[in-house]
């Protein structure tokens, strides 16, 4: 209802899942999404799992919420 369509709802659910996974792994969700967006254009599609919150190695030292 709130997403406007079934496709919009599916996309919102995927984003909410990534944000929730980042939080559960002690990662700042904003920093995680920034990192992924910087890398995704040059990243091979067959290695997309490398960009999941528990697999990505951050370039930004403020990436982890544990450091704060």
């Amino acid at each position: 209802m709130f997403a406007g369509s079934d496709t919009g709802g599916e996309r919102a659910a995927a984003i909410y899942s990534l944000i929730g996974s980042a939080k559960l792994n002690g990662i700042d969700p904003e920093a995680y999404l920034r990192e992924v967006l910087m890398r995704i254009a040059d990243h091979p599609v067959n290695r997309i799992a490398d960009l999941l919150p528990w697999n990505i190695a951050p370039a930004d030292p403020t990436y982890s919420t544990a450091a704060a």
Side-chain angles (χ1 to χ4, degrees), residues 19-32:
I19 290 170
S21 294
K23 287 181 180 179
L24 286 173
N25 283 281
I27 299 168
D28 175 32
E30 182 182 350
Y32 166 71

Side-chain angles (χ1 to χ4, degrees), residues 10-22:
E10 290 170 5
R11 290 179 182 160
I15 293 296
Y16 295 148
S17 294
L18 281 175
I19 290 170
S21 294

Side-chain angles (χ1 to χ4, degrees), residues 34-43 50-51 56-59:
R34 188 180 320 112
E35 189 77 24
V36 169
L37 290 173
M38 286 188 330
R39 295 180 183 201
I40 200 161
D42 298 327
H43 199 77
D50 294 348
L51 297 177
I56 195 167

